[in-house]
Amino acid sequence: MARFFKSFIAGSAVLLVSAPVSVSSSFVPSVHIDMKNMLILSFLPFSGPVSSAMVNRFGSRPVVIVGGLMCGVSMVTASLGTSIIYLYFCIGVIGGCGLSLNLNASLIIISKYFLTKRPLANGLAMAGSPVFLCILAPFNQYLLDNFGWRGSLLILGALMLHCCAAGALMRPVTPPHTLSSCALEKTVEEQRNNGKTRLKRSCMKSAKTFLDLSFFKDRGFVIYLIGNIMFIFGAYAPIVFLTAFAISKGVEEYSAAYLLSIMGFVDMFVRPGTGLIANSKWIRPRIQYFFSFAMVFNGTCHLLCPLIENYAFLVVYAVFFGIGFGMVFALIFECLMDLMGSQRFPRAVGLVTIIECFPMLLDHLQYLFFMCGSVILTGGIFLFVMNIYNYHMLEKEKQNQVRASEVEMKQTPEAAMGHTEPEAQEKNGVLRDTRSERAETPN
């Protein structure tokens, strides 16, 4: 249970960076707010391979601590800013990179901590984001009214430093290997003699670890990646523009802002619930189908949103949006773990996140709920159909391997018999010749 609590704390830091966007809205025009939000979401996955490589080299604990420091520093330095470009750099670039270190390291350590209850662990860890989405919306307004935007950023920076405490709780799975004094001297001597060769090999190995393109040979990974990219195209635009869409329908600003709180409140309970359902013996063997259903459900909600004309139905949309969004993000990394396994997951998640960053840059152009819904719905249908094909091909390949092994087992005894019969005849012939020579030899 303690590990579940640690994972929840680590996951709760992911959405803290959304707070400065709403805090700084008092003096930044809306187009700049959206652009800054997209910068955060873009740098978050763009530094994914770097985060994965650092976790493989140093472990999750120091990476999360460094990421928490970067997030805290980004908020504190942003409070001293005097221009929009300065805020872009501090919050978008530094904060986005720091959150990338936190997110990837938390996901990787979950894949190492858990096996039998991993879907539930992922659901609990990812539930940290909607908790803060639900709490920070009114909290930001309170900070802005009482401390101003500079004081608000300072307080948020202090909150971001709690990521360091969460990282300190991430105990390494395997203890470090200790070397004896003789082995240590031998290792130092080898490093002196073969320094250049070892450096070249290390660089080549690090490059492969940083970006492993061999994953594209895996059919299941390619199917997952295509569907995931289609989801990312329309995932974040509804969150960014939901408040503005409600205001355009005549809703008051405070009421429109609470739509995100409603969505986050529902999402907070849906993610662990989805993990619990996905951990059942009926769903987990075919969790890819469950993920496809979640995407179809999410896309359908976005398609119906532009038809809404009053606040009551917007609240209903926010509830269903929270359900669909929570299901997808409770399963999105669990499906990748299911496909790649715990050993290959650290490198796979870095490759997936860097590819996801390009669609995010397109979301700030205009809020097109029809576009987002249709793309996500198409991605869900694509995943559903292609997973049927993938499972069929895997079963067919498994049957072919079984048949090949059976044929090989049948051929092995026959070859052994065919090989032993000549040897037996040869031995019998040698015995006859020896006996005949002994009989002809005079006493």
Side-chain angles (χ1 to χ4, degrees), residues 14-134:
V14 175
L15 208 71
L16 269 170
V17 78
S18 63
V21 178
S22 57
V23 171
S24 59
S25 61
S26 59
F27 71 101
V28 182
S30 59
V31 63
H32 295 297
I33 296 173
D34 300 332
M35 184 63 185
K36 183 167 56 178
N37 197 3
M38 288 305 148
L39 276 174
I40 296 169
L41 295 175
S42 298
F43 275 94
L44 178 61
F46 188 75
S47 53
V50 179
S51 176
S52 298
M54 291 178 65
V55 171
N56 291 332
R57 178 64 179 86
F58 303 105
S60 293
R61 175 183 288 175
V63 173
V64 173
I65 292 176
V66 172
L69 289 174
M70 291 179 64
C71 294
V73 169
S74 68
M75 299 296 107
V76 174
T77 55
S79 66
L80 306 174
T82 56
S83 65
I84 295 176
I85 302 299
Y86 183 83
L87 293 177
Y88 284 168
F89 177 78
C90 293
I91 300 177
V93 179
I94 301 177
C97 292
L99 283 180
S100 177
L101 298 180
N102 289 346
L103 175 62
N104 284 24
S106 302
L107 293 172
I108 291 171
I109 198 124
I110 289 173
S111 67
K112 295 180 179 179
Y113 274 169
F114 303 96
L115 181 61
T116 57
K117 296 183 179 180
R118 191 181 60 203
L120 180 58
N122 273 305
L124 286 173
M126 299 301 289
S129 297
V131 168
F132 277 89
L133 178 63
C134 181

Side-chain angles (χ1 to χ4, degrees), residues 288-299 327-328 380 383-384:
Q288 306 294 335
Y289 293 138
F290 193 24
F291 180 55
S292 304
F293 166 76
M295 284 185 59
V296 171
F297 183 86
N298 197 357
M327 286 194 300
V328 171
L383 279 179
F384 186 80

Side-chain angles (χ1 to χ4, degrees), residues 399-415:
Q399 293 177 359
N400 292 336
Q401 290 178 357
V402 172
R403 292 173 184 173
S405 61
E406 290 177 353
V407 171
E408 185 177 357
M409 291 176 63
K410 290 180 180 179
Q411 291 178 351
T412 302
E414 295 177 357

Side-chain angles (χ1 to χ4, degrees), residues 351-426:
L351 184 61
V352 168
T353 51
I354 194 173
I355 294 176
E356 287 177 355
C357 73
F358 298 105
M360 289 182 184
L361 295 175
L362 302 177
D363 284 348
H364 75 280
L365 297 178
Q366 49 184 331
Y367 54 98
L368 300 175
F369 283 86
F370 279 125
M371 183 273 291
C372 296
S374 59
V375 171
I376 294 176
L377 180 63
T378 304
I381 297 174
F382 170 82
L383 279 179
F384 186 80
V385 174
M386 294 305 296
N387 281 323
I388 294 176
Y389 168 76
N390 186 36
Y391 282 126
H392 174 72
M393 294 300 297
L394 289 175
E395 187 67 26
K396 188 176 180 180
E397 292 171 358
K398 185 178 180 180
Q399 293 177 359
N400 292 336
Q401 290 178 357
V402 172
R403 292 173 184 173
S405 61
E406 290 177 353
V407 171
E408 185 177 357
M409 291 176 63
K410 290 180 180 179
Q411 291 178 351
T412 302
E414 295 177 357
M417 291 295 294
H419 183 68
T420 54
E421 288 180 359
E423 289 182 352
Q425 293 177 0
E426 184 178 356

